[in-house]
Amino acid sequence: MNKHLKYIDGTSDKFWQIEVNEASYTVTYGKNGTSGTSQTKSFDSNEACLKTAEKLLNEKLKKGYSENGEVLVSPGKPKPEKAGQSSKTDISVIIEAYDQLIKTKNKQGLLPFLEEYTKGNVEGLKKHIKKSKRYWVDYTDLSQDPDFKKRKGSDWGHRGDQQQIELVILSAIAVMDRASINAWDEVLNALKDADKPFTLEVLQWARPSWLGDFLLDRAKRNEWQRIDYNVLRFLETHGLLSFQPELYALCLGGYSEWSSAVKGRTFIRKVADDPVAYERDVPELFNYETGLNNSYFRDNDKEAYDAHHTWAIIYDTLLAEGKLSRDYFIEQTILIQTKDWNNTLKSFFRKKMIELDVQPAELLPHQESLFACLQHAATPVVNFAIELIKKIQDHDDFQVRSFLDWLEPLMMSSSHKGAVKTILTILEKLNKRYPEYHTKITSLLADIYVIPDLGLQEKASKLLLKIASGNDAELSEKLTSYAALMQGNVKSSLSILMNEEADPVVPETFENYQYIPAQEKVLVDEVVLPQDWNDILFLFGKFIASEDIIDAELLLNTLITQKHLFPEDYSGQLQPYHKQLEKGYFEELYKYYVSVFLKQKIQDLQMPFSLNEKSYRTVNTLLLIKPYLFAVQKRIDSGKQLPMLSFPTHLPYWVAPEVLLQRLITCQNEGEDIDKLDLSIAISRMPREDTAAAIPLLEQLSGELKDLMAFCLGVSKKITFKNGSFMNKLLSVVKTAKDEDLKSRWAMAARTYYPDETFPEFEGTDLESVPFAVSPFKPVITIDERWDEYQNYQTKKKERTPSWYEINFDLPRDQKGLDYFIYAGDLINKKRGWDYGLSNAGNVYHWNSMMPQNPDALAYFMLRSSCYRSDYGGHELKGFLNILNGPGFRFSEATTLVLACIFFQDKKDIRLMAAETLINLVERQALDLKLLSEKIVFLIAHKYGPFSRLVESLGSLKDNSPLHNAAFLQVMENIFKNLDTAEKLPVNFKKLVEHYVDILSKTNQQPDVAVSLVFEKLKDNAALKTLIKQILK
Amino acid sequence: MSTTDLAYQYNSVSTYTRENGINSLVLAHQTEIETVNNIPCFFWGTLTDPYTTAKCWSTIAKVVRSSFGPVPPSLRDPIVSAGTERIRFEGFSSCNGVYVRLDMKPESIDGEFIASGTTNVDFNDPMLNALNSIQKNEKVTLAVGQEDVQVITAKTKVTEKKVTLPTRWIKGLTSVQLYLADMELKFELNKIQTIQLFQTLPKGNVKGEFYITKRAGKFTFSTLTTADSVRVGGIHRLRLLDGILAIAEKVYIYESADRQTCAVVCEFGKMQLLMAFSPDAYRGFSGEGKVLENMTENVPMEWVYGLNSLLKSNETFDPTLLSIEHDIDFGTMDQLTSSLSSVGLLGYDLMARNHFYRQLPFKTERILSLNPRLKNAKKLIDNEEVQVIRKEPGYIEAIVKGSDVQHKVVMDDKGDRCTCQWFTTYQGKRGICKHILAVKMVI
């Protein structure tokens, strides 16, 4: 069978062709005059193939395809009802009629139109309605269409007015099928008016079969797209919709007063009075997850928006009036608790049920379902079940065996400590009442030792010692296997119950923690330059994708030293990257500016760099990339293939001393200008490593530069800058461009290699008032209470927000620092704001790459901008932690304080990472714990953040190794010794004391004398009493 | 014409009923493959451990109705393979990032395998509600498919369910097997270690990547990577395991060679549940290019049909045996194994380290048409937009037309590289781009 059909009308000019070849056919279709697209399909048999092919052919014929192209409508199978004649009207006539309808807003005309024209023209009409929707209904730019502009000041709007939109949508509902109308949100609005006679008529004429599916799809997708329940019922009564449990449940539970035409009280009455609603639909609310917990209303404007809860009242009413069985409600409420539903929804039902004051007799039939709740992950669910079980556990019909079966996983769960505590008392009672379950109960009690909580473990021990017998072999075996998990003195207290043959508990060896500020070698990985053009080409891609500073540095360097590798058609080859750079936006400032630079170079290597773009961040240190790029341009212009002084020789950003000296010598010999910024960064990036190879090269340098580099290499510690600067200052207006003043480079070197020392040499110079120049910047840091005030709109009174605590310190200067003494660039009195912060890790890495040997400036900036509050920092803190974790990081007062602050941060992922970093640093003994404790005490004392966050962070040190335990012990003792405990103790202080007791016993140490004194004073504290007894025993 | 989503309709619904103290679960099934669709019933029997089985089903249901990516969650029914004394359930989250499979070993079921095959089964809310209430020590029967036409009483009248399966979903099912085959066992955790590990699972709204690390005999989730830690992207997705961790006897952790994807296998003795996680919450298995490299060579269609007559569902696929019996070269066989996975004929059993046969309930043509990168690459070739500039041993350079730019593709000892955005963004970590693919197909 071979057929070639065409379809030519006002809007289309296309063909469709089918060729059948035994068990496969090929369909080709497309615009007339083209070869079209082909698809071949194979079948198991020739018959099956032919059958399908004929079916397809018939479909096409039905759609109006014909062999000569004239649009025909197949006479076959006319639709049964609908009075209209089988029409075969020219589509353009129909379209005109349709447009006329819309233009004249002829509502009454729609139904007659549909009756007359729809049949046989569905496809054409569908297409035109789609077009009309785009024209009349869509929100679009009307600036070219002044006739339709309605609102002043806005070019955007709808062409159609409300009636026209309604007409288009209704016609669509009448004509379209599910697939083509699926994306039309407007349909929902139109259906809301289903009770309007005009809408109803059209709906009844069309009887769209997709209505239910469409509505359900919407209802599942968005809560706000759940159609009013009353509308559903209306459609149902008129036979336009059949009952679908999920749809009805979602819409019923989705009632909200503000979006519904019905007031809250009316809705409630309606549900409570309508048997279909409360018998058929309300029970479905237990089967599907709805949002009924969010439905509030108010009776008048004076009330708060959430004055009354719609469903609380409905359930009260139904239960009171006996329209919903109490037993059913109880059963279902328990059953939904184990579902994966929104917790507030489940909590709504829980609360409701508790209000019912359920009696044991009502609960007993559902006890198995209650037991199932015990294995749920959510604490409120478990607690709810336990509370109810408490009510029935002494009843004769209580299924003890089953209850105990369900308990095991719960007994090991650290997230349900409260519930476990309650279970202890229940188990004690059950043990008395049912001696036959004795071993089962003690075995369950033993599982508690999996939970790392001293208080709970002690309670379990107390009970076990009371009820367990020493000759229960299974129990002793279990306890022995848990021995390693027992905290504090628990292990020794239980010894009579444990296996005696097992090795006597060996206290772990104590390994004292000592801070060893290690000098790690940093010149390890050499930077490899691109080998050929391909490497350079794909380096552009690497730069776009990576966070490593080196990729940018490498690219800039190729433009200076490897231009010869660029082929003639470099620009063409690089176009894909140009496009990507155009499209992308980089949050990292250096990447942003480097990409501007690269875009220009891709277009033309010879073009000088110009900068019109501006980034919105105003951090001076990060903006140094701008002058640096101009320096790069200058070097390119010089035509000399000399890398920048600060171009790294080793990953990630180090410059080897020997190489730096060679670069300086070449510059000097070739008369090349030395850029101040470049030299500043180069010095800052040069570690005093492998200096032996560099020192002999000093001889080839001359003048002040030689002295400066001798200082940097540690050959001499004499600072010998030319102090003619007083004169220079006077003459600064006429200062020549070639200023040989290296003073701030000297200051850079001094602060880089001697971070903690004072250099009186800079006193009396213009650097005197610059932080970090003469002496390390050590401001007085305070933590101050802050709050906001606002007016309560109901009471008209001023109210205070809860307080928070903010880190502050004074900054000496108002404006930018001296040229390129880069440590001081942002130690200025500038307001913190969204533009003046780091915001992501990349910016932190960039900053650090410019001054890796002294991160204090960065730390102070972070204290001001990122962790000045415990609920403020973001990704940049993670970046900082990464740096801190790297080799060769220098800890100082400021950097340690930042680390301490991070332990208090509200973002859990950041805190977790800080805890990990702590574990790592302790392992390498790279952290001064005394200093850290000091900072922590400072933050605790001034309520910087919640104490529990700190305990959680520090607690992660426990049980990693003897060294970590010793470190933890040291930090805790430092905190106890230095914290003013006479004042009110921080909330959750007990948690830390529990850790202390545990670690003391684990490491087999005696408390420090000073710490003992502290606890001696706290002896009468009710919460700590028992713990302190163990410390002071 | 773009591939459209597959839409199908069940003839009935799955039901769970309780009569005379016996609970019976009847799963309605449907497949696109006619011969399988006509099988009324695959299995009928009782569950030997109904509580654990129900918990696993609930976990599968949780997975198939969850979404962690930009795709809104909607229920995707799981797939069941019955045969060779085993029943396997497979499913995917709506975002295609979490794959779940329950392997029910012969000990877990006591009954009769009437037919072998793979099919979609209906998971509906009322049935899941009922599963939720299965107690320990109850008797539960299971039927995959049903022999008699279901009697619909007035009370339980339910409308027929229509389901659409997006192509991404089907594609994910095929590519995840290749990831599984690439995984190595990293850790084996006993009950206590499992509890301890999951006690360190960050609570609340913590997302992002974490590393499972063993420290001092204890397993923890850590934010920092170490040499032998296992990376888990989108950590919050592990919460899906909540319901079964407490009852698992052992937990095994696997990781793929590229350290991108990982899998957790919970062992219950009579059955095991596997959950595999894509590299990150916002990435699905479907987007990964793993399948591509196997698809450059076509699997002969007669093989697809041939296998179906050779093997039963869930039967171990032994390439060596097959190649000896049918005189096929071993090398071809290796390639064939991954090709067959890519077209949805093989699943991979991590614990047993072998492939098993099951024909996904979709037409092979559909699966073959799924890969847009492959399709786009073929289009590039058809339109003659691939131009090989240099071809020497160890070095190939080509120009491929992109949208208003020319992309350069280089293949040498430094790997395959391209200047397009896809390659730039992922630097080769997510399979090859269509340009490299096209060049590979040309040379």
Side-chain angles (χ1 to χ4, degrees), chain A residues 159-202:
Chain A
R159 283 201 187 81
D161 64 10
Q162 215 186 323
Q163 292 185 39
Q164 288 166 323
I165 291 177
E166 200 183 330
L167 267 171
V168 174
I169 298 302
L170 263 180
S171 63
I173 293 176
V175 176
M176 311 270 264
D177 52 36
R178 166 91 201 275
S180 37
I181 208 159
N182 209 17
W184 292 27
D185 287 334
E186 294 84 355
V187 171
L188 275 180
N189 268 329
L191 289 175
K192 274 188 194 153
D193 298 331
D195 52 346
K196 284 192 193 163
F198 157 67
T199 310
L200 183 61
E201 273 168 32
V202 175

Side-chain angles (χ1 to χ4, degrees), chain A residues 229 252 271 276-286 311 314-315 318 324 328:
Chain A
Y229 174 69
L252 182 59
V271 174
V276 177
Y278 63 76
E279 278 171 10
R280 185 191 68 181
D281 298 346
V282 170
E284 292 296 339
L285 296 172
F286 283 116
W311 284 93
I314 294 181
Y315 278 114
L318 292 178
L324 185 66
Y328 180 76

Side-chain angles (χ1 to χ4, degrees), chain A residues 29 37 39 41-42 44 213 220-221 242-246 286-288 335-341 368-369 372 375 377 405-406 408-410 412-415 450-452 481-482 485 531-535 537-538 540-545 572-573 575-577 579-580 583 878 882 885 908-909 912-914 916-917 919-920 923 956 958-961, chain B residues 1 35 51 55 62 65-66 72-75 125-126 128-129 132-137 157-159 162 191-192 195-196 199-204 206-207 210 213 215-216 218 220-226 239-240 242-243 246-247 305 363 365 395 397 399 402-410 412 414 417-427:
Chain A
Y29 57 89
T37 318
Q39 275 184 333
K41 220 173 157 188
S42 314
D44 297 342
D213 292 338
K220 273 159 95 173
R221 220 182 293 171
S242 56
F243 172 65
Q244 268 174 283
E246 185 167 16
F286 283 116
N287 287 333
Y288 299 95
L335 279 175
I336 58 162
Q337 297 307 323
T338 45
K339 286 196 198 174
D340 196 27
W341 280 9
E368 289 287 341
S369 309
Q375 294 193 352
D405 273 348
W406 284 93
E408 192 183 336
L410 176 61
M412 302 184 189
S413 160
S414 64
S415 35
V450 173
I451 305 174
S481 76
Y482 288 154
L485 305 171
Q531 298 300 298
D532 53 28
W533 165 243
N534 281 339
D535 284 354
L537 178 71
F538 294 112
F540 277 83
K542 261 182 90 182
F543 161 74
I544 293 171
Q573 292 200 32
Q575 280 314 310
Y577 291 125
K579 215 172 126 189
Q580 289 182 38
K583 272 200 286 183
K878 287 192 180 177
N882 272 331
N885 225 343
K908 177 118 183 189
D909 49 338
L912 282 170
M913 187 164 165
E916 296 285 339
T917 308
I919 294 172
N920 249 347
E923 186 144 356
S956 63
K958 194 156 86 174
D959 289 348
N960 285 300
S961 76
Chain B
M1 209 172 81
T35 47
Y51 176 70
K55 278 272 168 197
K62 232 191 303 187
R65 58 176 49 195
S66 63
S74 60
L75 183 65
D125 276 291
L128 291 171
N129 286 336
N132 189 26
S133 60
I134 290 187
Q135 317 280 315
K136 292 189 171 176
N137 317 320
K157 193 183 150 214
V158 201
T159 44
K162 290 173 210 124
K191 218 171 178 138
I192 295 175
I195 291 162
Q196 283 178 330
Q199 275 175 355
T200 67
L201 184 66
K203 293 191 190 79
V206 177
K207 296 174 180 173
F210 276 75
T213 313
R215 228 187 256 138
K218 232 168 69 179
T220 52
F221 288 106
S222 152
T223 46
L224 298 174
T225 170
T226 59
R239 286 258 166 250
L240 288 172
D242 270 350
I247 51 172
Y305 296 114
K363 290 188 179 156
E365 295 90 330
Y395 186 88
E397 184 181 320
I399 299 286
S403 35
D404 26 283
V405 282
Q406 299 272 349
H407 292 299
K408 180 171 172 180
V409 172
V410 173
D412 58 10
K414 288 173 189 155
R417 292 175 288 178
C418 176
T419 58
C420 74
Q421 175 138 19
W422 173 272
F423 184 84
T424 300
T425 312
Y426 303 115
Q427 297 286 315

Side-chain angles (χ1 to χ4, degrees), chain B residues 10-15 26-30 120-122 143-146:
Chain B
Y10 289 101
N11 296 324
S12 59
V13 289
S14 298
T15 52
V26 178
L27 294 174
H29 86 98
Q30 205 284 340
N120 299 289
V121 285
D122 169 38
V144 180
Q146 59 218 343

